[in-house]
Amino acid sequence: MAHLPESDREAEPEYGLVVSPNPATTVARVTAEVPIRHVMVYDQMGRLMYRDEHDTEELLLNVGRWPKGMYVMRIHLEGTTKQYVQKLIVQ
């Protein structure tokens, strides 16, 4: 497995960042203790599936029409310069 820079490692539970349910079938819920600022979701081929700016501590992603598979979420939270990476499985 390739070494990922600190900013690209999968998020620890820092700032209470949670993606659930995971695996998801219709909706994936992203929550944090601080506002979520930017979310980008990529498929396994690196194609951007979702991108948006937010100012909320809870975000619902409608994944029901996405192809089944693994996705990589890149999440920016308020008050930090880190980019948190979470895996999302869509079934």
Side-chain angles (χ1 to χ4, degrees):
M1 182 169 143
H3 175 73
L4 294 174
E6 183 71 31
S7 63
D8 285 345
R9 291 190 181 153
E10 189 164 351
E12 299 292 326
E14 190 172 359
Y15 296 102
L17 182 61
V18 176
V19 177
S20 66
N22 197 2
T25 55
T26 56
V27 175
R29 180 177 177 234
V30 182
T31 58
E33 295 170 354
V34 297
I36 300 163
R37 290 297 184 194
H38 304 279
V39 176
M40 294 167 285
V41 182
Y42 299 89
D43 68 9
Q44 291 179 358
M45 300 298 292
R47 293 179 293 228
L48 184 64
M49 297 294 293
Y50 176 87
R51 179 183 183 159
D52 209 349
E53 294 184 20
H54 301 275
D55 185 19
T56 182
E57 294 170 5
E58 179 182 64
L59 169 67
L60 298 176
L61 294 175
N62 182 356
V63 299
R65 294 187 178 189
W66 292 9
K68 294 178 183 179
M70 186 186 79
Y71 295 84
V72 174
M73 304 179 72
R74 295 186 179 273
I75 303 166
H76 295 218
L77 301 175
E78 182 176 287
T80 181
T81 58
K82 289 182 180 180
Q83 180 176 6
Y84 295 94
V85 177
Q86 289 283 336
K87 293 176 188 170
L88 172 65
I89 305 293
V90 175
Q91 291 185 335

